[in-house]
């Protein structure tokens, strides 16, 4: 299979690039010479990322799009394909966090998170892969899953379900796209210091006053940066890695699930300190 090793002039689109991992990865790809399409549901945030790239002498265009809205994603793809034949790199990154024990979750919350975290990834692939395949010059798809795709904590049934699904879809797509020379990678970051907790949909005890702040404080204290994740993503694309755990805890969960599944099962009932 072809590998995308050199990012010079590669047309690269990243969803959720207005913040966190998406923004850091957009900047890293731009520094490596890629031409960026910076997408976010918040246009101002996408514009800020594009401005940061342009200030460094890079090429970036900001686009507004809600990845949960299939028509909006198709319209965005049409706009991109008016200017270029196909993307070289597609990164489906937009996502939201969610927490709360199953009995406290609403069906509305399930639909909302699955529409963004899972269907957003599917919409992106559906809109951009046909042109990549038709062009016949390979490329790469990066789907942002999570360490929650290895171990599903009781506090995050919706999030874990969405990320297990992204992981499964990515594995299937990887085998499918191999024949077209298109690499496909799932990235499983770990606990990363971004805005994700602040914008998470929390229900039940986790939604109570003060709890979200404690989780945020824990993520800040852990302080694994989105820039570290971005560097791992570029490496994973160069090597066409299937599944890329990033932070030490992500690697720990990856191996624990494989080597000690009974221990993981036992620990499932233990509450994390910041959730008490
Ligand atoms: N931060 C972590 O610890 C962590 C860990 C594992 C996986 N992830 C995953 O990484 C990805 C990026 O998260 P982050 O941590 O950088 O969070 P973030 O909140 O900093 O960034 C997410 C971005 O996505 C955008 N977005 C949200 N909904 C959208 C939609 N419907 N359409 C388009 N854009 C939308 C937001 O406006 C925001 O700019 C997510 O898929 C998340 O699940 C994060």
């Amino acid at each position: 299979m072809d590998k995308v090793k050199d990012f010079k002039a590669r047309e690269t689109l990243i969803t959720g690039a207005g913040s966190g991992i998406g923004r850091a990865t957009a900047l890293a790809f731009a520094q490596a010479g890629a031409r960026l399409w910076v997408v976010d549901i918040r246009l101002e945030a996408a514009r800020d990322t594009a401005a940061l790239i342009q200030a460094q002498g890079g090429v970036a265009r900001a686009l507004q799009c809600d990845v949960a809205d299939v028509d909006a994603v198709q319209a965005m793809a049409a706009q991109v394909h008016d200017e270029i034949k196909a993307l070289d790199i597609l990164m489906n990154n937009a996502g939201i966090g969610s927490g709360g024990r199953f009995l406290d979750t609403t069906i509305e919350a399930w639909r909302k998170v699955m529409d963004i975290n899972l269907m957003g990834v599917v919409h992106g692939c559906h809109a951009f892969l046909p042109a990549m395949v038709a062009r016949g010059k390979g490329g790469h798809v990066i789907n942002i899953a999570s360490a929650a795709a290895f171990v599903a904590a009781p506090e995050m049934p919706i999030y874990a379900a969405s990320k297990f699904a992204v992981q499964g879809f990515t594995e299937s797509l990887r085998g499918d796209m191999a024949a077209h020379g298109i690499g496909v990678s799932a990235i499983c970051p770990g606990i990363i210091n971004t805005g994700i907790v602040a914008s998470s949909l929390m229900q039940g005890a986790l939604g109570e006053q003060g709890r979200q702040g404690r989780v945020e404080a824990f993520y800040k204290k852990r302080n694994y940066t989105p820039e570290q994740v971005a560097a791992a993503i570029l490496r994973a694309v160069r090597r066409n890695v299937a599944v890329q755990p990033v932070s030490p805890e992500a690697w720990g969960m990856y191996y624990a699930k494989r080597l000690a599944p009974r221990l993981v099962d036992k620990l499932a009932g233990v509450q994390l300190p910041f959730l008490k």
Side-chain angles (χ1 to χ4, degrees):
M1 189 192 295
D2 299 343
K3 288 184 189 156
V4 179
K5 286 188 174 162
D6 174 9
F7 301 129
K8 279 224 165 57
R10 299 282 190 169
E11 297 289 346
T12 301
L13 185 139
I14 302 181
T15 66
S19 154
I21 294 168
R23 172 174 285 179
T25 312
L27 281 157
F29 270 122
Q31 277 154 16
R35 301 162 62 88
L36 268 296
W37 300 83
V38 176
V39 179
D40 206 280
I41 195 168
R42 298 174 299 126
L43 182 58
E44 274 314 306
R47 282 188 175 141
D48 288 348
T49 301
L52 287 170
I53 291 170
Q54 288 152 1
Q56 294 178 353
V59 179
R61 284 270 302 273
L63 300 173
Q64 194 273 337
C65 183
D66 175 358
V67 298
D69 178 345
V70 66
D71 295 334
V73 178
Q74 291 289 349
M76 168 179 69
Q79 194 182 338
V80 171
H81 292 144
D82 272 350
E83 296 194 26
I84 59 168
K85 219 168 176 183
L87 293 176
D88 295 299
I89 299 168
L90 166 66
M91 175 160 147
N92 293 300
N93 164 75
I96 60 167
S98 77
R101 295 257 170 173
F102 177 69
L103 295 183
D104 294 318
T105 59
T106 61
I107 291 299
E108 289 71 29
W110 276 91
R111 291 229 163 84
K112 179 170 180 175
V113 176
M114 295 304 273
D115 278 352
I116 299 171
N117 290 8
L118 171 61
M119 292 314 294
V121 174
V122 174
H123 294 157
C125 292
H126 221 262
F128 289 104
L129 268 175
M132 289 171 75
V133 168
R135 187 185 59 163
K137 287 190 180 166
H140 206 98
V141 177
I142 306 154
N143 292 335
I144 306 301
S146 169
F150 304 143
V151 177
E155 288 80 12
M156 40 175 72
I158 312 180
Y159 189 74
S162 73
K163 295 301 187 177
F164 265 69
V166 167
Q167 181 72 39
F169 168 56
T170 305
E171 193 176 312
S172 165
L173 189 68
R174 181 177 167 88
D176 190 2
M177 287 298 125
H180 302 286
I182 296 173
V184 183
S185 302
I187 310 294
C188 302
I191 294 169
I192 316 301
N193 188 8
T194 69
I196 194 158
V197 180
S199 60
S200 286
L201 210 164
M202 299 295 200
Q203 300 187 287
L206 269 176
E208 283 166 15
Q209 191 113 34
R211 284 282 178 89
Q212 202 150 343
R214 281 169 69 184
V215 181
E216 262 187 277
F218 177 80
Y219 272 60
K220 282 210 175 85
K221 200 166 165 213
R222 168 75 186 89
N223 200 26
Y224 200 94
T225 68
E227 288 74 22
Q228 290 171 280
V229 179
I233 290 173
L234 268 64
R235 268 197 311 276
V237 173
R238 283 197 180 100
R239 297 174 189 166
N240 190 19
V241 172
V243 181
Q244 181 65 65
V246 180
S247 70
E249 63 274 8
W251 277 106
M253 286 156 83
Y254 176 78
Y255 280 119
K257 193 60 184 269
R258 277 157 185 76
L259 304 176
R262 288 176 71 178
L263 177 69
V264 172
D265 188 43
K266 275 209 175 111
L267 291 175
V270 177
Q271 268 211 330
L272 298 168
F274 59 91
L275 297 177
K276 280 184 188 151

